Amino acid sequence: MKHLGRHVLAEIYGCEFDILNDIEKVEEIMVNAALEAGAEVRECVFHKFSPQGVSGVVVISESHLAIHTWPELGYAAVDVFTCGDKVNPWDACNYLTSQFRAKHMSARETKRGIFPVAEQLAEQQVAVNL
């Protein structure tokens, strides 16, 4: 079966507080993660919470990267959704893990937009039109 995209949900633990609490640093790392994965960056929106934490999204031509950090716990929740075959979401996740100086990352991938192959679609269309 064909799919439109790959969506990786990553749990990144044991990260450095000072990195996860720095909005400029988190944005820079997220943008570089997108580029490292081969994506084309379109827009970014990030917000710094008080007393700590950062949330943000990097919109890429191929979909998005999103993050929410809990610096006090050394934890970042990340999702990387990419469409097409050009961008590898795992490259972005591995880059983030490295740059956050994390001790552990666990992640799972979900295929998004799963469709039957084109021939099956054509057969279904013919059957409906009969």
Side-chain angles (χ1 to χ4, degrees):
M1 294 249 174
K2 292 193 173 253
H3 60 275
L4 295 177
R6 301 165 64 191
H7 198 161
V8 176
L9 300 176
E11 309 287 323
I12 306 177
Y13 299 97
C15 305
E16 290 194 9
F17 178 95
D18 291 338
I19 296 172
L20 293 187
N21 203 41
D22 183 332
I23 188 171
E24 289 85 14
K25 190 70 173 164
V26 171
E27 181 173 351
E28 175 188 346
I29 290 170
M30 290 288 287
V31 167
N32 286 335
L35 297 173
E36 184 78 15
E40 183 178 336
V41 175
R42 293 294 181 173
E43 293 184 54
C44 301
V45 176
F46 283 81
H47 177 78
K48 173 79 167 72
F49 293 95
S50 181
Q52 64 235 356
V54 174
S55 283
V57 64
V58 177
V59 177
I60 58 177
S61 294
E62 301 80 5
S63 195
H64 72 272
L65 289 77
I67 189 168
H68 187 77
T69 72
W70 285 263
E72 71 278 16
L73 301 175
Y75 170 72
V78 172
D79 72 282
V80 181
F81 182 19
T82 63
C83 297
D85 299 327
K86 178 185 151 204
V87 180
N88 184 345
W90 289 101
D91 290 343
C93 289
N94 291 330
Y95 180 85
L96 293 169
T97 301
S98 168
Q99 295 300 302
F100 293 151
R101 298 191 183 112
K103 292 181 175 49
H104 178 73
M105 186 262 290
S106 64
R108 63 185 168 93
E109 178 177 327
T110 300
K111 302 290 192 256
R112 303 293 303 267
I114 298 174
F115 291 96
V117 291
E119 296 81 33
Q120 290 172 330
L121 282 174
E123 288 173 11
Q124 289 172 359
Q125 226 172 13
V126 169
V128 171
N129 291 334
L130 292 177

